[in-house]
Amino acid sequence: MTIIDRSRVADTIVEYHVGKNPGGAPRTGINYTLSAALVAALSLIMLGRAPTYKAILGTIADLTPRQLVAVGMAGENLTRIFTIGLEQKREYRRFVSWFDRQLKPLDPSPDQPAERITNAEHRRIVNARTPEQRQAYDLAAQRLRTVINDIVAGSIVTKQPAGAVGDIVADETIFDLAGPSSIGLGAKPTALRGACYFGHYYAREERSGPL
């Protein structure tokens, strides 16, 4: 919670929607907030778990009343998330639709399918973009980098340690988007890229680390 608060990325994302209608929380069902969804996603990453829609929603459901107040969801009835059957499925779809709308300004490749395809097909989609699409997607990529960098900056507790000289630098961090033994993934045109289309393939050597 503290990292998301310090980063102010929820406010930043809202600002990206200025002049547009991002759509608020679902008119029926639970009123979610960006702070709640981002806190849930980041906590999952810090625990080494995949921040899937289902996992994020489940994490929100596990928030205590005090935590719900902190993320702007005071008094929300979360029983819809736990209800077995059609109502639970409807609430899940509501959440996914809402969260997708909120993060749309950060999507650098909305024309790419969120599934594994060959690198050649991925490149074909990129090459087919119009100049207007390239400009819009480049802007989204820059916004995504800004949000990520702000979250990293928000994780730094002491920005000016006593006695330190120079700038604080957050070293590179790698988040694995697929398992190390994923079959078919690779960098060659005929190999597959991961379902997360803005990730990059890398190989890791035991002695020297990732390449």
Side-chain angles (χ1 to χ4, degrees):
M1 181 69 205
T2 302
I3 294 176
I4 296 299
D5 275 350
R6 282 200 297 253
S7 71
R8 297 185 61 82
V9 292
D11 293 336
T12 299
I13 295 173
V14 170
E15 290 173 2
Y16 290 152
H17 284 285
V18 171
K20 302 178 181 179
N21 181 16
R27 292 184 179 180
T28 58
I30 301 168
N31 291 308
Y32 301 101
T33 66
L34 263 176
S35 291
L38 294 172
V39 166
L42 182 59
S43 66
L44 288 165
I45 291 173
M46 294 175 71
L47 291 171
R49 295 174 55 193
T52 62
Y53 289 121
K54 184 177 181 180
I56 292 172
L57 189 58
T59 302
I60 292 175
D62 288 336
L63 295 177
T64 65
R66 186 173 183 178
Q67 290 170 329
L68 287 173
V69 171
V71 297
M73 290 182 60
E76 287 295 326
N77 183 354
L78 306 182
T79 56
R80 289 171 178 263
I81 300 176
F82 298 108
T83 302
I84 299 176
L86 184 59
E87 192 59 39
Q88 183 186 50
K89 293 179 180 178
R90 286 175 176 171
E91 190 57 42
Y92 173 79
R93 288 197 295 267
R94 291 189 190 104
F95 172 74
V96 171
S97 179
W98 169 82
F99 201 24
D100 278 349
R101 292 196 303 272
Q102 305 310 305
L103 299 184
K104 187 175 180 179
L106 311 180
D107 190 347
S109 300
D111 55 348
Q112 292 279 1
E115 60 186 25
R116 293 184 180 184
I117 60 175
T118 64
N119 291 306
E121 177 63 12
H122 175 95
R123 178 51 54 187
R124 186 197 65 76
I125 294 173
V126 171
N127 291 339
R129 291 172 180 170
T130 65
E132 292 76 16
Q133 285 177 316
R134 291 179 185 275
Q135 183 177 9
Y137 299 168
D138 286 346
L139 176 60
Q142 179 56 53
R143 287 172 170 173
L144 179 60
R145 285 192 291 270
T146 297
V147 167
I148 291 174
N149 286 336
D150 285 348
I151 292 175
V152 172
S155 69
I156 301 174
V157 178
T158 305
K159 296 186 177 181
Q160 293 181 323
V165 177
D167 298 324
I168 289 181
V169 177
D171 200 3
E172 180 180 355
T173 300
I174 296 175
F175 292 103
D176 290 329
L177 303 174
S181 61
S182 296
I183 299 174
L185 297 182
K188 295 180 179 180
T190 54
L192 300 174
R193 66 141 169 86
C196 183
Y197 45 75
F198 54 81
H200 297 281
Y201 180 78
Y202 73 92
R204 185 185 299 275
E205 291 188 354
E206 185 176 355
R207 293 184 179 181
S208 61
L211 298 175

